Amino acid sequence: MNLRPTKRVRTAARALLATLLLAGVVIGGWVGLDMLAVRSSLQAAHASLGELQRSLADVDLDAAQGSLQDAREEIEDASRRSGRFTWSVAAVIPVVGPSAQVVREVVEVADLATHIADTAVRDGRELLGDGVEIEVVDGRIDLAPLVEAQALLASLPIDDLVEAREALATPRDRWLPAQVREGRSDTLTLADDAISTLERGRALTEALPAFLGSEEPREYFVGFQTSAELRGTGGLIGYWGVLGVDDGQVSFGQTEDYDPFDDAQDPEGETRTERIRTIGLARQNPPDVDPAFLARYGRFAAARSFPNINLDPDLPTTARAMLELFEFQTDRRLDGVILLDAPGLQGMLEATGPTLPVPADVAEAFDLDDGLPTDQFARFVTADIYETLGFEFSAERNDALRRIGDAAFLQIFDGRWDSQRMAGAVVDATNQRHLQVYTTDEPVQQALHAVGATGALELPDDADQFAVVANNAVGGKQDVHL
């Protein structure tokens, strides 16, 4: 039997193949023209989103909504074009198919991002216009704006954006034109920034009310670090107190300062370094301090002395030892640790006004009749006061520093400051590691870690870590000058 196709069948097959190839070329060309139009729309939307960012920075919400509208129209045009039936057909055409699929995914990510921005500006107009106004009235922090911000962020389809971003990020094993690759890369970068910002905001607004005692009263050890004498987390803790918060109501307990010669023995021939290792200590190491911490720092009596307890640069490690020591000495269990240094405290003070009132005798001794200028606070407490009263132990200097610290925290907790300036100061202090926070509440700790507030040294998953840490073991105050 002759199974060879007849001439008529071969001719028909060639005609069909030619038709399919021609259709592929036509569809590919059509989709190619659409891609150029989509690219133009995406570029216009990108420019409008840049205007949106500038408008939001200026808190011009009318201009922000106008820019968003322009971006939405461009994205909708791109979405309409990439949603055509021809694009579905083009997806199976060699060369054109992978590019068409990537462009459609880029458009989907852009569509979700602009939808989220539109919802945030529309539904959060009042919140964005006023900023998250954190007010302190009679010592109580108003938590309502945080709750509003939390509800707004929870309503946004962030998870959909994450899913679309992951689809776009799927590795491609087929050739893509350079322009498509670059557009995909730029979109992934923008999506990552947006998702990171939204997720940090969502985590933080969920965590802060609990941190501020909305569910139950909380108490935190607040330590002031001086960069004049370095320690792993920043500087010697020479001044500390306990911050209490109960549903936003703030109280700051009596503060203590570090007297390096408290109960010190002064055997003849003992060096200054040897003496500093044995002064102001607890009777023994707290029983529950991490053995690894003791192995590294036990020879400095770190677990028995607040001024030496922060030799380790990882705040979560230091804070756990600190809470053990505090409980061992006071039979009082705290909920966390807040460390703040002079530059960080100065930034917050500047948000309260140009001057810090100081006690009359301190003002007289340092010619501060008009108060201490807040923009000179850090230099004064880490350098000027030592240059005036000397670098050796001085009860007068210790007392002056403690009372200036009391005045500084009183002025901050008084709450009579511009909320946006204070929020900016807190963010700057956190970003520059001047403010570090640890809490025993694990969900809150994770949220604080997400915004870089925990002073933690992170161990990379795919690399070793090497850190150089400066610890001053001789008691001098020269580090601020170095």
Side-chain angles (χ1 to χ4, degrees):
M1 179 182 291
N2 183 9
L3 297 179
R4 294 182 63 188
T6 65
K7 184 176 181 181
R8 181 179 296 178
V9 171
R10 291 197 300 272
T11 301
R14 291 191 186 105
L16 177 60
L17 179 60
T19 301
L20 289 175
L21 288 173
L22 179 61
V25 171
V26 171
I27 291 173
W30 193 350
V31 170
L33 291 174
D34 263 348
M35 282 188 182
L36 292 175
V38 167
R39 179 189 175 202
S40 177
S41 293
L42 291 174
Q43 288 175 332
H46 187 271
S48 295
L49 291 175
E51 291 294 333
L52 167 68
Q53 288 183 317
R54 287 186 284 274
S55 298
L56 289 177
D58 296 333
V59 200
D60 186 346
L61 296 187
D62 290 331
Q65 284 192 309
S67 299
L68 259 177
Q69 181 63 31
D70 292 341
R72 290 291 292 168
E73 290 175 359
E74 296 291 348
I75 295 297
E76 285 171 3
D77 179 68
S79 183
R80 177 178 56 80
R81 289 179 181 275
S82 63
R84 288 173 174 166
F85 172 73
T86 50
W87 283 61
S88 298
V89 176
V92 300
I93 298 176
V95 181
V96 176
S99 296
Q101 180 63 26
V102 169
V103 172
R104 292 179 80 171
E105 290 170 356
V106 166
V107 172
E108 183 179 1
V109 170
D111 184 49
L112 279 167
T114 52
H115 171 65
I116 288 173
D118 188 43
T119 303
V121 172
R122 185 181 65 251
D123 295 348
R125 186 178 179 90
E126 182 177 345
L127 185 65
L128 290 169
D130 297 334
V132 182
E133 290 282 349
I134 307 297
E135 296 183 348
V136 180
V137 180
D138 296 328
R140 185 179 185 277
I141 301 172
D142 181 13
L143 301 181
L146 290 173
V147 176
E148 292 176 22
Q150 178 184 342
L152 173 62
L153 287 166
S155 71
L156 301 177
I158 302 172
D159 294 338
D160 291 343
L161 180 58
V162 171
E163 185 176 342
R165 183 259 174 221
E166 289 176 351
L168 179 59
T170 302
R172 311 288 165 169
D173 56 3
R174 296 183 181 180
W175 178 82
L176 294 172
Q179 291 179 332
V180 174
R181 291 199 309 272
E182 290 170 5
R184 174 173 174 265
S185 177
D186 290 345
T187 302
L188 285 173
T189 299
L190 291 172
D192 287 342
D193 289 344
I195 291 168
S196 176
T197 298
L198 290 166
E199 289 185 335
R200 288 200 308 268
R202 185 165 60 180
L204 196 58
T205 55
E206 289 175 355
L208 278 179
F211 182 78
L212 296 172
S214 64
E215 299 173 358
E216 59 181 340
R218 302 288 175 95
E219 289 187 313
Y220 304 102
F221 179 98
V222 177
F224 180 77
Q225 303 187 108
T226 174
S227 49
E229 185 175 336
L230 291 177
R231 294 291 188 272
T233 61
L236 177 141
I237 302 174
Y239 168 98
W240 60 86
V242 174
L243 174 69
V245 282
D246 184 1
D247 195 27
Q249 187 67 45
V250 177
S251 61
F252 194 55
Q254 182 175 352
T255 58
E256 297 182 40
D257 60 278
Y258 167 51
D259 180 349
F261 296 97
D262 225 5
D263 301 324
Q265 302 299 316
D266 188 16
E268 186 175 353
E270 185 179 52
T271 68
R272 183 180 179 85
T273 299
E274 291 169 340
R275 190 174 185 185
I276 286 173
R277 290 181 181 178
T278 59
I279 53 182
L281 304 179
R283 299 183 303 278
Q284 61 187 59
N285 290 320
D288 295 325
V289 172
D290 182 5
F293 181 88
L294 292 176
R296 286 193 296 271
Y297 307 111
R299 66 185 183 279
F300 298 108
R304 297 166 60 194
S305 166
F306 285 119
N308 277 357
I309 203 166
N310 59 331
L311 293 172
D312 194 296
D314 181 68
L315 179 60
T317 298
T318 285
R320 287 189 286 269
M322 194 176 295
L323 294 178
E324 293 294 339
L325 176 59
F326 190 90
E327 183 177 17
F328 183 65
Q329 291 188 326
T330 65
D331 293 324
R332 184 178 174 189
R333 188 68 181 180
L334 301 181
D335 299 293
V337 171
I338 301 171
L339 295 185
L340 186 63
D341 66 11
L345 185 54
Q346 175 175 305
M348 296 181 196
L349 283 173
E350 288 183 57
T352 70
T355 57
L356 171 68
V358 295
D361 58 331
V362 176
E364 181 179 356
F366 295 94
D367 194 21
L368 296 172
D369 294 337
D370 296 326
L372 174 62
T374 52
D375 62 358
Q376 298 178 28
F377 176 84
R379 177 174 177 82
F380 182 83
V381 299
T382 58
D384 293 350
I385 196 167
Y386 292 96
E387 291 172 2
T388 301
L389 296 179
F391 291 84
E392 294 297 322
F393 171 70
S394 164
E396 179 185 3
R397 188 188 65 228
N398 264 28
D399 180 65
L401 283 170
R402 182 183 60 78
R403 290 195 288 160
I404 289 171
D406 288 347
F409 281 106
L410 178 64
Q411 184 149 310
I412 289 172
F413 292 131
D414 184 56
R416 285 179 286 188
W417 27 254
D418 178 85
S419 126
Q420 291 188 10
R421 283 196 67 190
M422 181 59 76
V426 171
V427 169
D428 288 344
T430 302
N431 289 340
Q432 297 170 33
R433 209 177 168 94
H434 297 307
L435 172 64
Q436 303 168 65
V437 183
Y438 171 83
T439 171
T440 57
D441 186 323
E442 189 58 33
V444 177
Q445 176 71 5
Q446 290 177 3
L448 294 173
H449 182 71
V451 296
T454 58
L457 290 184
E458 294 195 59
L459 183 63
D461 293 332
D462 57 351
D464 294 327
Q465 185 179 61
F466 178 76
V468 177
V469 181
N471 276 300
N472 180 341
V474 299
K477 300 297 186 287
Q478 72 273 27
D479 297 338
V480 69
H481 301 286
L482 299 176

